Amino acid sequence: MYSFLFKKIYSYLVSKKTDTPIWHAASLVGVSMLVHFFILFKLFINNFRYSPTESYMGNKLFYIPFAALYIFLIYTFFKRRIKKIKIVKVSTLNFLGLILVFIVVPLCFLMFLSKK
């Protein structure tokens, strides 16, 4: 699923002649992976509750280097496979649909789950 998403996003970014299409596509795939992971985390761990008075994550700035390392690992994974990717024509509407389906809708679903 994520290889398909990377291929489509990368093809769109190459057709629009962006400066670093591999990095941007890997970042979008990494964000979608994290959103999907947190949805699964929220669905399978029902007793997980967030209390504003006691933070379960501590200092959230501490996690920025880990997120950067995670996206860098995704970048290196797909950079090795970039030679095999066949560039296909992806319309802007198709690109926005992919972003909507793989990132925005799951993120809205995650926010809905967090309100309960």
Side-chain angles (χ1 to χ4, degrees):
M1 175 173 85
Y2 298 113
S3 295
F4 167 78
L5 183 62
F6 180 83
K7 177 181 163 186
K8 293 291 185 174
I9 292 172
Y10 178 74
S11 295
Y12 176 77
L13 293 173
V14 165
S15 70
K16 293 298 177 183
K17 297 182 174 97
T18 58
D19 52 348
T20 54
I22 301 172
W23 183 254
H24 292 149
S27 298
L28 284 172
V29 170
V31 166
S32 70
M33 282 179 169
L34 287 175
V35 168
H36 295 161
F37 170 75
F38 283 120
I39 285 175
L40 291 174
F41 185 74
K42 189 69 175 170
L43 284 175
F44 291 117
I45 300 179
N46 293 330
N47 60 358
F48 180 74
R49 304 253 190 281
Y50 173 71
S51 173
T53 57
E54 57 183 62
S55 176
Y56 65 93
M57 290 182 65
N59 187 359
K60 292 166 189 70
L61 291 176
F62 175 75
Y63 294 101
I64 290 176
F66 296 113
L69 178 66
Y70 177 72
I71 290 178
F72 181 73
L73 290 175
I74 293 170
Y75 168 76
T76 56
F77 175 79
F78 283 116
K79 187 169 174 112
R80 291 182 185 154
R81 287 155 181 79
I82 204 69
K83 303 281 189 232
K84 299 176 188 174
I85 292 179
K86 185 178 178 184
I87 304 296
V88 294
K89 184 172 169 114
V90 178
S91 68
T92 303
L93 205 59
N94 191 358
F95 174 72
L96 291 176
L98 286 172
I99 297 298
L100 185 74
V101 168
F102 284 104
I103 297 175
V104 175
V105 171
L107 190 59
C108 292
F109 183 65
L110 183 62
M111 289 188 301
F112 174 73
L113 284 176
S114 295
K115 286 185 180 181
K116 288 185 173 185

